[in-house]
Amino acid sequence: MHVLSEQRLGDGVVEREFILGGIPGILWTPEAASASAPVPLILLSPPPLGLRTTYPRLLARARRSAADGFATLTIELPGSGDRPRLPAAEEAHAGLRRAMAAGEPVSDEIIDALVLPLVDKSVPEWQAVLDASLALPEIGGPVGYSGGVIAIGTRLAVVEPRISAAVLFAGSFVPRSTLEEARRVTIPLHVLLQWDDEGNDRRAALDLFDAFGSREKTLNANMGGHTGVPQFAADAAARFFTRHLR
């Protein structure tokens, strides 16, 4: 992990921008972490809009997590920001726009082509970054995962045994294969669902929640659109991590 810049944000948080094997990312740690016992880590998965766009929201979550005693880490997803585009996903985006403009339902084929290349490429990258971050003296685990795309979180919960709890955002398309993968998820889950999310298939999100094999799973559903998650829902997600990562 090559650190590009480091700064103290003035509220007890250290922010480090890094690059690892061509993967840009940001690591936030509580300032006192290096002087005390290693702290747990939460992986903050952004939407595929680019870190420049989503940075304010990610920073707010990182600051809250640092106040709770957790380090947090995010990466630029494949095909986002300045990273090379994913040709299959670009073609699927064009198909998605055509279907929506015509008022047609989005087909399973479009959803698979849009989401699965991103999942297949990003999950190994998350694992590589997790290897590097857990090698740092100030980070010791356990590890949580928070965010979307929900298919990425589902895959990681299946294949990455170091992740012990996850907060999943139900605000993205769900491929058919993700429903099957969900049956193999056993870690504690806290799923956030915005009931009126204009870009989300509510029925698919509910079917996915039903499919998760976890004995402990909570659905926190609230009225409002994609970016209207109420503060009390974010507080509940933070308490979930405090229960499972401490």
Side-chain angles (χ1 to χ4, degrees):
M1 180 183 289
H2 176 62
V3 176
L4 302 174
S5 67
E6 179 175 324
Q7 62 174 327
R8 283 162 172 75
L9 301 183
D11 52 359
V13 181
V14 178
E15 177 183 276
R16 280 172 277 183
E17 294 189 24
F18 67 86
I19 191 162
L20 176 71
I23 309 165
I26 307 172
L27 172 66
W28 294 277
T29 54
E31 194 165 4
S34 59
S36 60
V39 297
L41 174 68
I42 300 174
L43 305 178
L44 300 182
S45 184
L49 302 174
L51 288 185
R52 290 191 186 94
T53 300
T54 56
Y55 175 82
R57 281 182 281 165
L58 293 166
L59 177 60
R61 290 161 60 192
R63 281 179 157 143
R64 169 62 189 267
S65 296
D68 291 336
F70 303 130
T72 49
L73 181 149
T74 191
I75 62 173
E76 188 78 85
L77 293 179
S80 297
D82 296 327
R83 299 193 65 185
R85 304 298 99 179
L86 300 177
E90 292 288 295
E91 293 177 12
H93 270 293
L96 173 65
R97 289 190 292 268
R98 286 193 297 268
M100 296 182 70
E104 298 173 351
V106 181
S107 69
D108 288 336
E109 289 72 22
I110 290 177
I111 292 173
D112 288 354
L114 183 68
V115 178
L116 292 181
L118 178 61
V119 175
D120 291 342
K121 188 168 179 59
S122 64
V123 166
E125 292 187 350
W126 273 117
Q127 292 179 297
V129 172
L130 181 56
D131 290 341
S133 59
L134 289 177
L136 298 173
E138 62 266 43
I139 298 176
V143 179
Y145 174 92
S146 175
V149 177
I150 198 167
I152 295 176
T154 301
R155 175 77 60 82
L156 274 170
V158 171
V159 304
E160 181 45 73
R162 292 172 292 184
I163 295 177
S164 57
V167 171
L168 302 178
F169 296 177
S172 54
F173 291 110
V174 180
R176 293 163 294 184
S177 59
T178 301
L179 285 168
E180 294 305 314
E181 288 182 323
R183 305 184 197 284
R184 298 161 52 199
V185 175
T186 58
I187 63 172
L189 297 178
H190 186 94
V191 180
L192 296 174
L193 170 64
Q194 288 300 102
W195 203 250
D196 306 304
D197 191 335
E198 57 281 2
N200 185 41
D201 183 336
R202 186 195 304 161
R203 182 70 263 166
L206 293 174
D207 288 344
L208 181 62
F209 179 79
D210 188 49
F212 283 125
S214 304
R215 294 185 63 183
E216 180 188 338
K217 56 180 179 180
T218 300
L219 179 66
N220 190 319
N222 295 281
M223 306 302 291
H226 187 78
T227 59
V229 178
Q231 183 58 50
F232 61 80
D235 292 341
R239 290 194 297 271
F240 169 83
F241 278 131
T242 298
R243 288 199 308 275
H244 291 289
L245 300 184
R246 284 292 181 194

